[in-house]
Amino acid sequence: QVQLVESGGGLVQPGGSLRLSCAVSGKIFSIYAMDWYRQAPGKQRELVARITSEGTTDYADSMKGRVSISRDNAKNTIYFQMNSLKTEDTAVYYCKANMGVSPFYSWGQGTQVTDSS
């Protein structure tokens, strides 16, 4: 099993920045990719960024150019740097581990990012 704990959310003004963190523990060797998702009020959860075990990254068009996903293997932590935040970025942000063994994925509890304007 893999456990995920997100942190770093909060209130932010449009144009501001936040860095979210996702601390990973458990069967880390089984993870082949880590994702950041977000879910805005009344909307479906959507994938916004991915980093593979090889370090390949990919981003949703809605956030491309404003965000960066990275990892610190020594700290078993995934980061999600968000810049030039917009009102529409308000959402609960979740990290997800994708694994090659059952149960095949694990979610964190989420961290809230809110426009403070």
Side-chain angles (χ1 to χ4, degrees):
Q1 190 59 283
V2 170
Q3 294 79 42
L4 307 175
V5 179
E6 300 100 331
S7 60
L11 295 174
V12 61
Q13 291 187 341
S17 298
L18 274 179
R19 188 178 77 160
L20 308 182
S21 300
C22 176
V24 186
S25 60
K27 296 182 178 179
I28 296 173
F29 64 89
S30 67
I31 298 172
Y32 65 84
M34 291 290 300
D35 299 332
W36 281 99
Y37 279 74
R38 70 180 180 183
Q39 187 166 19
K43 295 188 177 181
Q44 289 189 330
R45 194 172 296 190
E46 63 171 340
L47 176 64
V48 292
R50 166 169 284 196
I51 185 166
T52 70
S53 56
E54 292 80 21
T56 302
T57 58
D58 198 13
Y59 304 98
D61 288 343
S62 59
M63 302 198 85
K64 197 171 291 184
R66 301 188 292 121
V67 300
S68 177
I69 187 171
S70 62
R71 65 187 184 193
D72 184 332
N73 290 333
K75 295 182 179 180
N76 292 330
T77 300
I78 304 296
Y79 300 103
F80 190 49
Q81 176 70 44
M82 301 187 290
N83 303 316
S84 302
L85 283 164
K86 304 176 181 180
T87 298
E88 53 263 41
D89 294 324
T90 292
V92 179
Y93 286 74
Y94 300 89
C95 64
K96 177 189 174 189
N98 301 281
M99 301 170 284
V101 297
S102 179
F104 301 109
Y105 59 87
S106 181
W107 291 92
Q109 83 287 354
T111 186
Q112 177 73 50
V113 173
T114 303
D115 175 9
S116 63
S117 63

